[in-house]
Amino acid sequence: MQPDQIKSLIEGQIPGSQVEVAFEGSHLQLTVISDAFNGLSRLKKQQLVYGALSDKIADGTLHAVQMKTLTPEEAGQ
């Protein structure tokens, strides 16, 4: 899967999000910044992102996902 495809999946699920995608070998690293994360725990933030990728994780297209989930304030924006 290409980084732009992953970015589109997440941005489609979390409107207004800013997504950075990087691969380090077979490991996917994400940084997702969104107002949708305001007031959510770290776990709830990650669940939103995993929800966008669940089909690709389930079918084995994606694995070993690491992510940072930040509000714009946490990201210094």
Side-chain angles (χ1 to χ4, degrees):
M1 226 180 155
Q2 296 299 313
D4 287 345
Q5 293 171 303
I6 296 166
K7 182 176 177 174
S8 293
L9 282 173
I10 296 168
E11 289 175 346
Q13 181 78 21
I14 308 172
S17 61
Q18 300 171 25
V19 181
E20 294 178 21
V21 180
F23 282 98
E24 195 170 295
S26 64
H27 292 80
L28 173 63
Q29 295 183 337
L30 301 172
T31 300
V32 183
I33 301 169
S34 176
D35 283 324
F37 297 148
N38 285 328
L40 298 180
S41 69
R42 182 176 174 200
L43 177 62
K44 293 290 184 188
K45 293 175 185 179
Q46 290 179 353
Q47 286 173 336
L48 279 177
V49 177
Y50 278 124
L53 303 175
S54 62
D55 289 345
K56 299 300 178 187
I57 293 170
D59 72 10
T61 302
L62 296 175
H63 60 282
V65 178
Q66 292 182 323
M67 68 179 83
K68 291 182 188 176
T69 53
L70 306 166
T71 65
E73 293 77 28
E74 292 169 333
Q77 296 183 347

